[in-house]
Amino acid sequence: MNDDEDASSAAPTAGEAERNAAMQSGMAGPSPPEPATPPDRAHVAFPGLHYTEGAGLFLPIEFCRYGRVPGDPLYRPLRVYEADPVISGYNGRSVSLPVAYEPLRPGPIGRVIEVVPASGTHPVDLDGIAEALGQGRAPSVTDPFFHQQMVYALASDVVASFAMALGREPSWGFGGPRLRLRIDAADAPNAWYDSGKGEIVFGRFTSDAAPGPGIVPNATIRTCISRDIVVHEMTHALLDGMRARFAVATQPDVPAFHEGFSDLVAILQRFSIRGSVEAAIRQTKGKLAGASLVSAVAEEFGMSTGLGRPLREPLSVSVPDLPTAGSEEHDRGTVMVTAVLEALVKVYARRARPVLDLVAGRPARAPLPEQAVEILTDLACRLGSHFLSLAIRAIDYCPPVDLHLGEYLRALITADRDLVEDDRYGYRSELIAAFARKRIFPPEVNDLSEDSLLWRAPRHAIPPIPGLALSALSLPADPGRPPDRAEIRRQAAALADRVTDPAYLGEFGLLPPGEDVAPPSMDSVRVLRRVGPDRQVQMGLVCEITQEARIRGPDGRILQGIGGATVILGGAGEIRFVIGKGVSNAKRAAIRVETEQKLAKAGAVRGCATLVPRH
């Protein structure tokens, strides 16, 4: 069966049959005639007339991680630095990451990750006998083979974290099966993800003549061996695959979210390294709040460039609230990171209190008992994993464009409530309180009660979409993998039948196509699979629809408007949430122009760990 054959054995619906007949007769070309739709019949959408297939609709097919076969090892253990080299170098701490096994070509080059060595450097062969027996190359700041190994291991680990949180395979936001990670590819104190080229560029530079503690003056510093920077850049790439339109800077919160979310994942990913968490517990005597584990990002980079401190410190007392943070994306994003981490620390403190109360009364300088350290380390690791999974899963509950940081709070609350109705550990209440302290408020919400923050069902009843019910889907044996091209096309058409129906068009923030209004774009249709704490499995679909239009701005100028909706469907094809942005919002279009002008003045590459927009 080729990609264009329909894998579904179910008989087509009346609408599908009509659309198929039209396409076979040539009606579905660029300008097909408007089909007559009797009032007693369901609306049938035609590609090119009522909707288009988005540029990213079929990209998930190209993302194909290796599937184990009998006899394969479960993991390939590879050593990486436990923290930035400036920290790890003092104590020689490294950790062995259990990377999902796949056959590798020298580079390493796997199914979805390709490491490109520095110019003049040979690629490492991790299938060699010595590497296989020794958990890869020994950690070394000067060994280019270890640099390649560390980048591959960390990148693979982030991909696995996204797949686990989402319940499906992630995807890239560009055409092609692999993301290239280019080591020492720029002489600059920088690293960036370039969505146009499908690559991450890691720079190298000379440290400041008067650097911070632990850094040799005028030494060569490589961003590729900073754990935080590698994870940050990988998060940019994976977020681009989930929400490509987040690269459209409609207002300052959009680029700020890209930067803040990438920092957040980098920090929460550390909680998978038990040694780091245990060290933090010992360092703070169980308090956690003052540990660098949660309070510093890219320490070596910041020390090397003359800052004398980590690049960003989200739990620092100097982090302002959102109204006073300014519009610079890294600073603004750090405010959101602070709110999430404050919530995590508050939840940890409440759950750790019984253990700390039991060991109270010991001498002030006495270390925690080993049993207490073990219990608290287990607790912190679990919480970090829960918050990481929630942070990633919440992206499915975000609008497809124009995300405000306060709307990410709504996404967090809805994503958690959708899976865990009983908030007995206070995740949601602490998140709400922390965002309120940082004055991150969602638009169009009157209060910060949990009930008010939840995304709602459509204002008016919208009929289910039978073609998108689980029983109608033709999914692979592993539903976390995308279906073939024909099935994705069928799903997009079924979605278009409902969202472009004139009776419901406005519910999705869309306009009828016309001279100045492009047809809505079906950008993605993906499985939404969640496993709750009582091991119940919930399945449905999450879909993105966007639209662009030329609209008149507040001052009479013609501006480019963008809008659309994220649509979440249940197992019977019922529409559970419509998270929309109206395409005709003139105020948002004007703010977009102003924001893009400010970003253009700041330059295409605006400091370490940056998203470079698609070319």
Side-chain angles (χ1 to χ4, degrees), residues 134-153:
Q135 299 184 355
R137 307 283 297 192
S140 169
V141 174
T142 59
D143 180 8
F145 291 148
F146 172 72
H147 303 166
Q148 299 163 35
Q149 169 183 301
M150 181 164 171
V151 167
Y152 168 77

mmCIF file with all atom_site columns, all heavy atoms in Angstrom, residues 134-153:
data_model
loop_
_atom_site.group_PDB
_atom_site.id
_atom_site.type_symbol
_atom_site.label_atom_id
_atom_site.label_alt_id
_atom_site.label_comp_id
_atom_site.label_asym_id
_atom_site.label_entity_id
_atom_site.label_seq_id
_atom_site.pdbx_PDB_ins_code
_atom_site.Cartn_x
_atom_site.Cartn_y
_atom_site.Cartn_z
_atom_site.occupancy
_atom_site.B_iso_or_equiv
_atom_site.pdbx_formal_charge
_atom_site.auth_seq_id
_atom_site.auth_comp_id
_atom_site.auth_asym_id
_atom_site.auth_atom_id
_atom_site.pdbx_PDB_model_num
ATOM 1   N N   . GLY A 1 134 ? 32.232 0.560  27.335 1.00 0.00 ? 134 GLY A N   1
ATOM 2   C CA  . GLY A 1 134 ? 32.557 1.620  28.288 1.00 0.00 ? 134 GLY A CA  1
ATOM 3   C C   . GLY A 1 134 ? 31.498 2.672  28.436 1.00 0.00 ? 134 GLY A C   1
ATOM 4   O O   . GLY A 1 134 ? 31.791 3.769  28.910 1.00 0.00 ? 134 GLY A O   1
ATOM 5   N N   . GLN A 1 135 ? 30.238 2.394  28.032 1.00 0.00 ? 135 GLN A N   1
ATOM 6   C CA  . GLN A 1 135 ? 29.152 3.365  28.083 1.00 0.00 ? 135 GLN A CA  1
ATOM 7   C C   . GLN A 1 135 ? 29.520 4.630  27.312 1.00 0.00 ? 135 GLN A C   1
ATOM 8   O O   . GLN A 1 135 ? 29.269 5.753  27.741 1.00 0.00 ? 135 GLN A O   1
ATOM 9   C CB  . GLN A 1 135 ? 28.793 3.704  29.538 1.00 0.00 ? 135 GLN A CB  1
ATOM 10  C CG  . GLN A 1 135 ? 28.315 2.500  30.324 1.00 0.00 ? 135 GLN A CG  1
ATOM 11  C CD  . GLN A 1 135 ? 27.878 2.841  31.728 1.00 0.00 ? 135 GLN A CD  1
ATOM 12  O OE1 . GLN A 1 135 ? 28.002 3.978  32.171 1.00 0.00 ? 135 GLN A OE1 1
ATOM 13  N NE2 . GLN A 1 135 ? 27.363 1.873  32.448 1.00 0.00 ? 135 GLN A NE2 1
ATOM 14  N N   . GLY A 1 136 ? 30.116 4.418  26.143 1.00 0.00 ? 136 GLY A N   1
ATOM 15  C CA  . GLY A 1 136 ? 30.525 5.523  25.303 1.00 0.00 ? 136 GLY A CA  1
ATOM 16  C C   . GLY A 1 136 ? 31.876 6.065  25.698 1.00 0.00 ? 136 GLY A C   1
ATOM 17  O O   . GLY A 1 136 ? 32.631 5.454  26.455 1.00 0.00 ? 136 GLY A O   1
ATOM 18  N N   . ARG A 1 137 ? 32.180 7.228  25.191 1.00 0.00 ? 137 ARG A N   1
ATOM 19  C CA  . ARG A 1 137 ? 33.449 7.875  25.496 1.00 0.00 ? 137 ARG A CA  1
ATOM 20  C C   . ARG A 1 137 ? 33.442 8.446  26.913 1.00 0.00 ? 137 ARG A C   1
ATOM 21  O O   . ARG A 1 137 ? 32.403 8.838  27.443 1.00 0.00 ? 137 ARG A O   1
ATOM 22  C CB  . ARG A 1 137 ? 33.709 9.018  24.511 1.00 0.00 ? 137 ARG A CB  1
ATOM 23  C CG  . ARG A 1 137 ? 33.624 8.629  23.052 1.00 0.00 ? 137 ARG A CG  1
ATOM 24  C CD  . ARG A 1 137 ? 34.843 7.900  22.582 1.00 0.00 ? 137 ARG A CD  1
ATOM 25  N NE  . ARG A 1 137 ? 36.054 8.711  22.662 1.00 0.00 ? 137 ARG A NE  1
ATOM 26  C CZ  . ARG A 1 137 ? 37.213 8.364  22.088 1.00 0.00 ? 137 ARG A CZ  1
ATOM 27  N NH1 . ARG A 1 137 ? 37.297 7.222  21.415 1.00 0.00 ? 137 ARG A NH1 1
ATOM 28  N NH2 . ARG A 1 137 ? 38.270 9.147  22.192 1.00 0.00 ? 137 ARG A NH2 1
ATOM 29  N N   . ALA A 1 138 ? 34.621 8.477  27.530 1.00 0.00 ? 138 ALA A N   1
ATOM 30  C CA  . ALA A 1 138 ? 34.741 9.072  28.855 1.00 0.00 ? 138 ALA A CA  1
ATOM 31  C C   . ALA A 1 138 ? 34.519 10.577 28.767 1.00 0.00 ? 138 ALA A C   1
ATOM 32  O O   . ALA A 1 138 ? 34.968 11.226 27.810 1.00 0.00 ? 138 ALA A O   1
ATOM 33  C CB  . ALA A 1 138 ? 36.115 8.778  29.440 1.00 0.00 ? 138 ALA A CB  1
ATOM 34  N N   . PRO A 1 139 ? 33.819 11.177 29.741 1.00 0.00 ? 139 PRO A N   1
ATOM 35  C CA  . PRO A 1 139 ? 33.584 12.630 29.712 1.00 0.00 ? 139 PRO A CA  1
ATOM 36  C C   . PRO A 1 139 ? 34.888 13.416 29.663 1.00 0.00 ? 139 PRO A C   1
ATOM 37  O O   . PRO A 1 139 ? 35.824 13.144 30.406 1.00 0.00 ? 139 PRO A O   1
ATOM 38  C CB  . PRO A 1 139 ? 32.837 12.889 31.020 1.00 0.00 ? 139 PRO A CB  1
ATOM 39  C CG  . PRO A 1 139 ? 32.167 11.591 31.322 1.00 0.00 ? 139 PRO A CG  1
ATOM 40  C CD  . PRO A 1 139 ? 33.121 10.533 30.855 1.00 0.00 ? 139 PRO A CD  1
ATOM 41  N N   . SER A 1 140 ? 34.949 14.363 28.745 1.00 0.00 ? 140 SER A N   1
ATOM 42  C CA  . SER A 1 140 ? 36.153 15.179 28.576 1.00 0.00 ? 140 SER A CA  1
ATOM 43  C C   . SER A 1 140 ? 35.799 16.463 27.851 1.00 0.00 ? 140 SER A C   1
ATOM 44  O O   . SER A 1 140 ? 35.124 16.428 26.814 1.00 0.00 ? 140 SER A O   1
ATOM 45  C CB  . SER A 1 140 ? 37.217 14.412 27.790 1.00 0.00 ? 140 SER A CB  1
ATOM 46  O OG  . SER A 1 140 ? 38.277 15.267 27.412 1.00 0.00 ? 140 SER A OG  1
ATOM 47  N N   . VAL A 1 141 ? 36.258 17.580 28.377 1.00 0.00 ? 141 VAL A N   1
ATOM 48  C CA  . VAL A 1 141 ? 36.035 18.872 27.736 1.00 0.00 ? 141 VAL A CA  1
ATOM 49  C C   . VAL A 1 141 ? 36.795 18.960 26.417 1.00 0.00 ? 141 VAL A C   1
ATOM 50  O O   . VAL A 1 141 ? 36.375 19.663 25.491 1.00 0.00 ? 141 VAL A O   1
ATOM 51  C CB  . VAL A 1 141 ? 36.451 20.011 28.686 1.00 0.00 ? 141 VAL A CB  1
ATOM 52  C CG1 . VAL A 1 141 ? 36.364 21.369 27.989 1.00 0.00 ? 141 VAL A CG1 1
ATOM 53  C CG2 . VAL A 1 141 ? 35.573 20.010 29.927 1.00 0.00 ? 141 VAL A CG2 1
ATOM 54  N N   . THR A 1 142 ? 37.896 18.245 26.289 1.00 0.00 ? 142 THR A N   1
ATOM 55  C CA  . THR A 1 142 ? 38.769 18.387 25.121 1.00 0.00 ? 142 THR A CA  1
ATOM 56  C C   . THR A 1 142 ? 38.564 17.305 24.067 1.00 0.00 ? 142 THR A C   1
ATOM 57  O O   . THR A 1 142 ? 39.151 17.392 22.991 1.00 0.00 ? 142 THR A O   1
ATOM 58  C CB  . THR A 1 142 ? 40.244 18.359 25.569 1.00 0.00 ? 142 THR A CB  1
ATOM 59  O OG1 . THR A 1 142 ? 40.513 17.124 26.246 1.00 0.00 ? 142 THR A OG1 1
ATOM 60  C CG2 . THR A 1 142 ? 40.535 19.527 26.505 1.00 0.00 ? 142 THR A CG2 1
ATOM 61  N N   . ASP A 1 143 ? 37.773 16.273 24.343 1.00 0.00 ? 143 ASP A N   1
ATOM 62  C CA  . ASP A 1 143 ? 37.598 15.163 23.411 1.00 0.00 ? 143 ASP A CA  1
ATOM 63  C C   . ASP A 1 143 ? 36.437 15.447 22.463 1.00 0.00 ? 143 ASP A C   1
ATOM 64  O O   . ASP A 1 143 ? 35.271 15.437 22.879 1.00 0.00 ? 143 ASP A O   1
ATOM 65  C CB  . ASP A 1 143 ? 37.342 13.869 24.188 1.00 0.00 ? 143 ASP A CB  1
ATOM 66  C CG  . ASP A 1 143 ? 37.141 12.667 23.277 1.00 0.00 ? 143 ASP A CG  1
ATOM 67  O OD1 . ASP A 1 143 ? 37.356 12.799 22.051 1.00 0.00 ? 143 ASP A OD1 1
ATOM 68  O OD2 . ASP A 1 143 ? 36.763 11.594 23.793 1.00 0.00 ? 143 ASP A OD2 1
ATOM 69  N N   . PRO A 1 144 ? 36.685 15.691 21.168 1.00 0.00 ? 144 PRO A N   1
ATOM 70  C CA  . PRO A 1 144 ? 35.591 15.992 20.243 1.00 0.00 ? 144 PRO A CA  1
ATOM 71  C C   . PRO A 1 144 ? 34.628 14.823 20.077 1.00 0.00 ? 144 PRO A C   1
ATOM 72  O O   . PRO A 1 144 ? 33.451 15.021 19.777 1.00 0.00 ? 144 PRO A O   1
ATOM 73  C CB  . PRO A 1 144 ? 36.299 16.331 18.927 1.00 0.00 ? 144 PRO A CB  1
ATOM 74  C CG  . PRO A 1 144 ? 37.642 15.708 19.036 1.00 0.00 ? 144 PRO A CG  1
ATOM 75  C CD  . PRO A 1 144 ? 38.001 15.748 20.487 1.00 0.00 ? 144 PRO A CD  1
ATOM 76  N N   . PHE A 1 145 ? 35.130 13.588 20.271 1.00 0.00 ? 145 PHE A N   1
ATOM 77  C CA  . PHE A 1 145 ? 34.229 12.436 20.195 1.00 0.00 ? 145 PHE A CA  1
ATOM 78  C C   . PHE A 1 145 ? 33.207 12.457 21.330 1.00 0.00 ? 145 PHE A C   1
ATOM 79  O O   . PHE A 1 145 ? 32.038 12.101 21.149 1.00 0.00 ? 145 PHE A O   1
ATOM 80  C CB  . PHE A 1 145 ? 35.023 11.127 20.229 1.00 0.00 ? 145 PHE A CB  1
ATOM 81  C CG  . PHE A 1 145 ? 35.847 10.887 18.994 1.00 0.00 ? 145 PHE A CG  1
ATOM 82  C CD1 . PHE A 1 145 ? 37.048 10.212 19.065 1.00 0.00 ? 145 PHE A CD1 1
ATOM 83  C CD2 . PHE A 1 145 ? 35.414 11.324 17.759 1.00 0.00 ? 145 PHE A CD2 1
ATOM 84  C CE1 . PHE A 1 145 ? 37.807 9.981  17.927 1.00 0.00 ? 145 PHE A CE1 1
ATOM 85  C CE2 . PHE A 1 145 ? 36.158 11.111 16.610 1.00 0.00 ? 145 PHE A CE2 1
ATOM 86  C CZ  . PHE A 1 145 ? 37.363 10.435 16.690 1.00 0.00 ? 145 PHE A CZ  1
ATOM 87  N N   . PHE A 1 146 ? 33.646 12.872 22.521 1.00 0.00 ? 146 PHE A N   1
ATOM 88  C CA  . PHE A 1 146 ? 32.695 12.981 23.636 1.00 0.00 ? 146 PHE A CA  1
ATOM 89  C C   . PHE A 1 146 ? 31.680 14.094 23.371 1.00 0.00 ? 146 PHE A C   1
ATOM 90  O O   . PHE A 1 146 ? 30.502 13.958 23.718 1.00 0.00 ? 146 PHE A O   1
ATOM 91  C CB  . PHE A 1 146 ? 33.425 13.251 24.950 1.00 0.00 ? 146 PHE A CB  1
ATOM 92  C CG  . PHE A 1 146 ? 32.486 13.553 26.078 1.00 0.00 ? 146 PHE A CG  1
ATOM 93  C CD1 . PHE A 1 146 ? 31.696 12.554 26.634 1.00 0.00 ? 146 PHE A CD1 1
ATOM 94  C CD2 . PHE A 1 146 ? 32.345 14.850 26.564 1.00 0.00 ? 146 PHE A CD2 1
ATOM 95  C CE1 . PHE A 1 146 ? 30.796 12.839 27.656 1.00 0.00 ? 146 PHE A CE1 1
ATOM 96  C CE2 . PHE A 1 146 ? 31.455 15.136 27.584 1.00 0.00 ? 146 PHE A CE2 1
ATOM 97  C CZ  . PHE A 1 146 ? 30.686 14.129 28.132 1.00 0.00 ? 146 PHE A CZ  1
ATOM 98  N N   . HIS A 1 147 ? 32.102 15.184 22.758 1.00 0.00 ? 147 HIS A N   1
ATOM 99  C CA  . HIS A 1 147 ? 31.167 16.266 22.443 1.00 0.00 ? 147 HIS A CA  1
ATOM 100 C C   . HIS A 1 147 ? 30.027 15.736 21.577 1.00 0.00 ? 147 HIS A C   1
ATOM 101 O O   . HIS A 1 147 ? 28.850 16.039 21.826 1.00 0.00 ? 147 HIS A O   1
ATOM 102 C CB  . HIS A 1 147 ? 31.879 17.394 21.698 1.00 0.00 ? 147 HIS A CB  1
ATOM 103 C CG  . HIS A 1 147 ? 33.043 17.970 22.444 1.00 0.00 ? 147 HIS A CG  1
ATOM 104 N ND1 . HIS A 1 147 ? 33.975 18.791 21.833 1.00 0.00 ? 147 HIS A ND1 1
ATOM 105 C CD2 . HIS A 1 147 ? 33.443 17.848 23.736 1.00 0.00 ? 147 HIS A CD2 1
ATOM 106 C CE1 . HIS A 1 147 ? 34.897 19.145 22.723 1.00 0.00 ? 147 HIS A CE1 1
ATOM 107 N NE2 . HIS A 1 147 ? 34.590 18.586 23.885 1.00 0.00 ? 147 HIS A NE2 1
ATOM 108 N N   . GLN A 1 148 ? 30.363 14.939 20.568 1.00 0.00 ? 148 GLN A N   1
ATOM 109 C CA  . GLN A 1 148 ? 29.346 14.377 19.682 1.00 0.00 ? 148 GLN A CA  1
ATOM 110 C C   . GLN A 1 148 ? 28.418 13.432 20.447 1.00 0.00 ? 148 GLN A C   1
ATOM 111 O O   . GLN A 1 148 ? 27.194 13.444 20.263 1.00 0.00 ? 148 GLN A O   1
ATOM 112 C CB  . GLN A 1 148 ? 30.027 13.636 18.534 1.00 0.00 ? 148 GLN A CB  1
ATOM 113 C CG  . GLN A 1 148 ? 30.913 14.515 17.665 1.00 0.00 ? 148 GLN A CG  1
ATOM 114 C CD  . GLN A 1 148 ? 31.882 13.698 16.821 1.00 0.00 ? 148 GLN A CD  1
ATOM 115 O OE1 . GLN A 1 148 ? 31.560 12.602 16.361 1.00 0.00 ? 148 GLN A OE1 1
ATOM 116 N NE2 . GLN A 1 148 ? 33.090 14.218 16.624 1.00 0.00 ? 148 GLN A NE2 1
ATOM 117 N N   . GLN A 1 149 ? 29.017 12.628 21.310 1.00 0.00 ? 149 GLN A N   1
ATOM 118 C CA  . GLN A 1 149 ? 28.243 11.674 22.101 1.00 0.00 ? 149 GLN A CA  1
ATOM 119 C C   . GLN A 1 149 ? 27.261 12.385 23.027 1.00 0.00 ? 149 GLN A C   1
ATOM 120 O O   . GLN A 1 149 ? 26.094 12.003 23.120 1.00 0.00 ? 149 GLN A O   1
ATOM 121 C CB  . GLN A 1 149 ? 29.198 10.823 22.927 1.00 0.00 ? 149 GLN A CB  1
ATOM 122 C CG  . GLN A 1 149 ? 28.548 9.953  23.992 1.00 0.00 ? 149 GLN A CG  1
ATOM 123 C CD  . GLN A 1 149 ? 29.598 9.209  24.789 1.00 0.00 ? 149 GLN A CD  1
ATOM 124 O OE1 . GLN A 1 149 ? 30.379 8.441  24.228 1.00 0.00 ? 149 GLN A OE1 1
ATOM 125 N NE2 . GLN A 1 149 ? 29.636 9.418  26.101 1.00 0.00 ? 149 GLN A NE2 1
ATOM 126 N N   . MET A 1 150 ? 27.733 13.426 23.696 1.00 0.00 ? 150 MET A N   1
ATOM 127 C CA  . MET A 1 150 ? 26.883 14.129 24.658 1.00 0.00 ? 150 MET A CA  1
ATOM 128 C C   . MET A 1 150 ? 25.716 14.812 23.959 1.00 0.00 ? 150 MET A C   1
ATOM 129 O O   . MET A 1 150 ? 24.571 14.763 24.444 1.00 0.00 ? 150 MET A O   1
ATOM 130 C CB  . MET A 1 150 ? 27.702 15.142 25.448 1.00 0.00 ? 150 MET A CB  1
ATOM 131 C CG  . MET A 1 150 ? 26.883 15.902 26.492 1.00 0.00 ? 150 MET A CG  1
ATOM 132 S SD  . MET A 1 150 ? 27.905 16.742 27.713 1.00 0.00 ? 150 MET A SD  1
ATOM 133 C CE  . MET A 1 150 ? 26.670 17.718 28.574 1.00 0.00 ? 150 MET A CE  1
ATOM 134 N N   . VAL A 1 151 ? 25.973 15.434 22.826 1.00 0.00 ? 151 VAL A N   1
ATOM 135 C CA  . VAL A 1 151 ? 24.900 16.103 22.089 1.00 0.00 ? 151 VAL A CA  1
ATOM 136 C C   . VAL A 1 151 ? 23.850 15.085 21.649 1.00 0.00 ? 151 VAL A C   1
ATOM 137 O O   . VAL A 1 151 ? 22.643 15.300 21.801 1.00 0.00 ? 151 VAL A O   1
ATOM 138 C CB  . VAL A 1 151 ? 25.474 16.871 20.881 1.00 0.00 ? 151 VAL A CB  1
ATOM 139 C CG1 . VAL A 1 151 ? 24.366 17.297 19.931 1.00 0.00 ? 151 VAL A CG1 1
ATOM 140 C CG2 . VAL A 1 151 ? 26.252 18.095 21.353 1.00 0.00 ? 151 VAL A CG2 1
ATOM 141 N N   . TYR A 1 152 ? 24.299 13.952 21.117 1.00 0.00 ? 152 TYR A N   1
ATOM 142 C CA  . TYR A 1 152 ? 23.352 12.919 20.672 1.00 0.00 ? 152 TYR A CA  1
ATOM 143 C C   . TYR A 1 152 ? 22.539 12.372 21.838 1.00 0.00 ? 152 TYR A C   1
ATOM 144 O O   . TYR A 1 152 ? 21.311 12.218 21.748 1.00 0.00 ? 152 TYR A O   1
ATOM 145 C CB  . TYR A 1 152 ? 24.102 11.773 19.980 1.00 0.00 ? 152 TYR A CB  1
ATOM 146 C CG  . TYR A 1 152 ? 23.233 10.559 19.753 1.00 0.00 ? 152 TYR A CG  1
ATOM 147 C CD1 . TYR A 1 152 ? 22.307 10.535 18.713 1.00 0.00 ? 152 TYR A CD1 1
ATOM 148 C CD2 . TYR A 1 152 ? 23.306 9.454  20.603 1.00 0.00 ? 152 TYR A CD2 1
ATOM 149 C CE1 . TYR A 1 152 ? 21.482 9.429  18.526 1.00 0.00 ? 152 TYR A CE1 1
ATOM 150 C CE2 . TYR A 1 152 ? 22.489 8.352  20.418 1.00 0.00 ? 152 TYR A CE2 1
ATOM 151 C CZ  . TYR A 1 152 ? 21.576 8.347  19.384 1.00 0.00 ? 152 TYR A CZ  1
ATOM 152 O OH  . TYR A 1 152 ? 20.751 7.262  19.210 1.00 0.00 ? 152 TYR A OH  1
ATOM 153 N N   . ALA A 1 153 ? 23.197 12.069 22.953 1.00 0.00 ? 153 ALA A N   1
ATOM 154 C CA  . ALA A 1 153 ? 22.508 11.465 24.097 1.00 0.00 ? 153 ALA A CA  1
ATOM 155 C C   . ALA A 1 153 ? 21.464 12.417 24.672 1.00 0.00 ? 153 ALA A C   1
ATOM 156 O O   . ALA A 1 153 ? 20.319 12.023 24.943 1.00 0.00 ? 153 ALA A O   1
ATOM 157 C CB  . ALA A 1 153 ? 23.523 11.074 25.169 1.00 0.00 ? 153 ALA A CB  1
#
